[in-house]
Amino acid sequence: MSQPPPPPSQPPSGGFGPPPEQPEDGPEQPERSGQPEQAGQSPQDPLSKTPPPADPPGQPPQTPPGPQAPPAPQPYGYPQQPPGQFGQAPQVPPGQPPSYGYPQQPPGQFGQPPQAPYGQPPAYGQPPAYGQQPAYGQPPAYGQYPTQPMYGGGVQPPGGGNKGKILAIVAAVVAVLLVAGGGIWFLTGDDGGTEAKKGDKGTTRGGDGGSTDGSTGGDDGSGGHKDRVEAIWRVEAPKLPAGEDKIYEVPGTWTVGGNLVRASVDSVTAYAADSGEEAWSIDLVRGPRCAAAPDASGDRTVVQWGRKCEKIMAIDLAKGKELWRADLPSEDRGATEFNYTEMAVSGDTAAAAWIGDAVGYDLATGKKLWQMEDGSECQDRAYVGGKQLIAQIECGFGDSQSLQSVRPDGKKGWEWKAPAGVEIKRVFSVDPVVIGVEAGGEYDLTDIMVLDDKGKLRAKIGLPKERYWFSCGGIGLADCHNVVVDKANDALYLQTNMHQGEGGSVSEIAAFDLASGKSKWLSEPTEDGRQTTPLTVQDGRLLGYEQPNYEKPGLITSIDPKTGKPTPYTRMPEEDMDAERGMNSLGNGRPYWHDGRLFLVVHRFYQDSSLNEGSILAFG
């Protein structure tokens, strides 16, 4: 269930898309084809005065009607039909050429991916063919994006269970040291004149890219729409404790009332969403691998803390009050015993699982409700919270896996058993239950499974190889933030992988019906050369985030859930474009939307402070 890192030549992920690359001589402006557009304007942008062209860019040519006309190929990311088996790509209809980026041939064996044709490396300065990686140890061509998910992006070597997880963790530690040693390429940006507010020790979750079931703190739907916003405050990156740890993972972001609450290296601090002023703070020291529940229940959550991440604390996020603290059960396995812990809250229950043990607590009082029995053949390996608490169960030496609902006393309810050879990787939502699995020893997600409220399989969505991008930080079961599950519209929204478009690297948003697993539509960016990602659902419509590029700042779009048509909603300020892009330079910035404001929050910091662009950047 764990995810290994990429080769050291690739930057870690954790943001909402692959980061742009930087040449050795610095972040100069890249070459472009065609004439540049004015920043802040778009042919389809009602916020600008530019009239729309006759044929919107990026759309496939229309085939005139007639009995002899073949059907037009679907655009990139739009599956032709759902696959019939795990890990197999859908087939292209007879007589129709495959769309750009479509697998060239079906797999020859169960669960095996199609082989890309052997080819020559691209000429110097040219982007590699889609789906190809640069030579090991070399950066991609300037301005290009890697096509494989990075660290924690759904990647795992063949084999599951404890052995697979331990091997992945060892690989992750090695890669962390290599990455910290300089094997990364990125773009940096200055603060764009953004005013620095008081932040982590003196420096200066509305809806995020998750499900709308409450498991990620869902948007309050209060709107706050503005055509254009400005950067209103920021928090600088924290100073990391001196030591051998080159990278600190600091998860934990929630929106409660009018505050954005952030767990950092030495505190949990609430900032007023409209000003960045500190509302309250609780001091606590956190090691480099401490976890936090990604969701809140009744404005309460839990964080892991301590220099070895050996402690747990429950916090009332509305009042800024510590509820209780406890030591996690220890078997004296050394300083890394509690690394790679996964935590969750649901109702009045908090749960934590790590390699070798799992425990549940009463969220209000801290009373221990259960602990995994020593020597159990089947063990709780991870928990996911929200409307219900779900456990990932492994039996034997990873021989079988299942998902089970967990009652407040720790006893299990419904169960969904993964088919033989299928490994549970991610849980995108618990209401409804939507999970990502890997079949056939692949290194990435191959299928998405939709379960009903009794744990029965409702629908399956096949994922063609390298078609979609899952932005996941770390190895957590519930740590992907660019997948949105829309319960009201019974829909799933995914981000396609980056590929070459008319104006540069682009991505789209693909929608699927959760009842049938069939595709609904593909939503392209409103502007050329944009990558768009699903953000959250507000007032029955999907919000997308078109990320900043070299010429234009980010743009929030409102997308019709029936047709996929995007409309510009809120544009980020041009004067802060460098700061916005800089927060995403290492793939660290996670977008959170709350009450009409966009927050970019970083969950990974480097001992080399020159790699840190900040901690929080707020627009409103």
Side-chain angles (χ1 to χ4, degrees):
M1 64 179 248
S2 60
Q3 316 297 323
S9 64
Q10 297 174 335
S13 77
F16 36 82
E21 312 300 335
Q22 173 183 333
E24 295 181 358
D25 58 353
E28 299 294 334
Q29 293 294 331
E31 295 182 1
R32 299 179 57 249
S33 61
Q35 297 298 322
E37 297 176 355
Q38 294 297 322
Q41 294 185 355
S42 165
Q44 304 178 42
D45 186 355
L47 306 184
S48 72
K49 299 180 181 180
T50 305
D55 295 314
Q59 297 289 341
Q62 299 298 319
T63 303
Q68 302 301 322
Q74 297 285 6
Y76 173 81
Y78 207 104
Q80 307 297 327
Q81 63 184 30
Q85 297 181 358
F86 285 103
Q88 291 190 350
Q91 303 299 310
V92 181
Q96 176 177 320
S99 58
Y100 179 73
Y102 201 86
Q104 299 300 311
Q105 61 185 23
Q109 296 180 359
F110 175 78
Q112 295 300 317
Q115 299 299 316
Y118 185 83
Q120 299 297 323
Y124 178 76
Q126 297 298 318
Y130 181 70
Q132 292 183 0
Q133 295 299 314
Y136 183 77
Q138 299 295 324
Y142 178 56
Q144 297 305 310
Y145 297 80
T147 60
Q148 297 282 356
M150 300 294 106
Y151 172 53
V155 183
Q156 178 174 353
N162 301 338
K163 183 178 180 180
K165 183 168 186 175
I166 293 172
L167 288 175
I169 291 172
V170 172
V173 173
V174 173
V176 161
L177 296 178
L178 290 173
V179 169
I184 50 180
W185 290 263
F186 59 98
L187 286 170
T188 59
D190 58 30
D191 63 5
T194 308
E195 181 181 1
K197 297 290 185 177
K198 182 179 179 182
D200 289 348
K201 298 303 178 184
T203 64
T204 250
R205 152 166 152 172
D208 64 351
S211 66
T212 59
D213 60 7
S215 62
T216 53
D219 190 89
D220 59 7
S222 57
H225 171 243
K226 297 180 182 178
D227 288 348
R228 295 180 184 269
V229 295
E230 60 182 4
I232 53 178
W233 57 273
R234 72 178 292 158
V235 175
E236 299 299 340
K239 183 178 180 180
L240 301 184
E244 298 180 356
D245 298 296
K246 303 298 183 183
I247 298 177
Y248 262 68
E249 303 285 349
V250 283
T253 301
W254 311 270
T255 52
V256 177
N259 294 332
L260 178 81
V261 185
R262 173 70 204 276
S264 190
V265 173
D266 55 6
S267 67
V268 177
T269 304
Y271 302 94
D274 59 354
S275 66
E277 295 298 326
E278 185 176 302
W280 54 261
S281 187
I282 297 175
D283 293 335
L284 75 171
V285 175
R286 302 178 77 197
R289 299 291 180 270
C290 290
D295 46 300
S297 177
D299 294 335
R300 302 166 298 176
T301 195
V302 289
V303 297
Q304 189 182 20
W305 65 289
R307 298 191 182 277
K308 298 189 297 181
C309 305
E310 75 278 13
K311 300 177 183 295
I312 182 174
M313 177 186 293
I315 299 174
D316 186 319
L317 299 173
K319 299 178 180 179
K321 177 183 177 182
E322 174 188 331
L323 297 175
W324 51 267
R325 63 176 67 187
D327 292 328
L328 292 170
S330 174
E331 296 184 12
D332 297 324
R333 293 178 176 173
T336 62
E337 178 179 4
F338 297 102
N339 287 2
Y340 312 104
T341 298
E342 297 191 48
M343 311 179 76
V345 294
S346 178
D348 292 324
T349 304
W354 58 98
I355 298 177
D357 212 344
V359 64
Y361 297 95
D362 184 289
L363 185 55
T365 65
K367 177 183 177 182
K368 186 187 295 185
L369 301 176
W370 74 82
Q371 184 176 353
M372 191 170 66
E373 296 181 4
D374 292 336
S376 299
E377 180 182 358
C378 297
Q379 301 180 347
D380 294 11
R381 289 303 181 196
Y383 295 108
V384 182
K387 294 293 184 181
Q388 61 179 324
L389 185 64
I390 293 178
Q392 180 189 23
I393 311 297
E394 287 187 359
C395 298
F397 197 66
D399 296 331
S400 65
Q401 291 190 359
S402 66
L403 287 182
Q404 294 183 356
S405 63
V406 183
R407 298 168 181 164
D409 58 0
K411 295 182 179 180
K412 303 302 192 294
W414 59 257
E415 179 182 24
W416 178 79
K417 293 183 178 181
V422 174
E423 189 167 0
I424 300 168
K425 295 285 192 177
R426 305 287 182 180
V427 176
F428 301 121
S429 168
V430 300
D431 183 30
V433 178
V434 181
I435 62 178
V437 303
E438 168 265 306
E442 280 294 318
Y443 289 92
D444 202 358
L445 299 183
T446 59
D447 301 271
I448 289 179
M449 319 298 285
V450 183
L451 308 183
D452 64 18
D453 56 4
K454 296 182 180 179
K456 303 297 183 182
L457 182 62
R458 183 185 179 200
K460 177 171 73 72
I461 301 170
L463 303 176
K465 187 175 178 63
E466 298 179 0
R467 183 66 62 85
Y468 302 102
W469 171 266
F470 296 93
S471 190
C472 308
I475 62 174
L477 199 63
D479 203 14
C480 296
H481 55 90
N482 68 333
V483 177
V484 172
V485 176
D486 183 356
K487 183 178 181 180
N489 291 299
D490 210 21
L492 169 72
Y493 308 114
L494 303 179
Q495 178 182 353
T496 70
N497 224 329
M498 312 306 173
H499 61 95
Q500 191 66 25
E502 292 185 5
S505 296
V506 300
S507 69
E508 301 89 4
I509 297 175
F512 294 86
D513 188 299
L514 290 178
S516 64
K518 295 181 179 180
S519 60
K520 299 178 64 176
W521 44 255
L522 188 75
S523 179
E524 297 184 344
T526 61
E527 301 173 353
D528 287 341
R530 288 278 203 177
Q531 296 94 43
T532 183
T533 184
L535 183 60
T536 191
V537 174
Q538 176 179 282
D539 298 331
R541 293 176 66 91
L542 173 67
L543 294 186
Y545 180 31
E546 295 188 7
Q547 301 154 33
N549 55 27
Y550 284 101
E551 301 147 5
K552 297 180 181 180
L555 171 69
I556 304 298
T557 59
S558 177
I559 302 174
D560 188 326
K562 295 182 179 179
T563 65
K565 181 180 179 180
T567 303
Y569 184 74
T570 296
R571 190 178 296 279
M572 303 301 113
E574 296 178 22
E575 59 270 22
D576 295 298
M577 184 170 59
D578 288 342
E580 182 186 3
R581 190 173 66 239
M583 289 290 284
N584 308 321
S585 61
L586 290 176
N588 289 340
R590 298 191 176 194
Y592 291 79
W593 180 264
H594 177 66
D595 196 18
R597 297 182 178 92
L598 177 70
F599 303 92
L600 299 179
V601 183
V602 174
H603 284 182
R604 180 185 295 123
F605 299 105
Y606 299 87
Q607 194 69 251
D608 182 354
S609 60
S610 66
L611 302 180
N612 300 323
E613 286 296 320
S615 179
I616 305 173
L617 180 59
F619 296 93

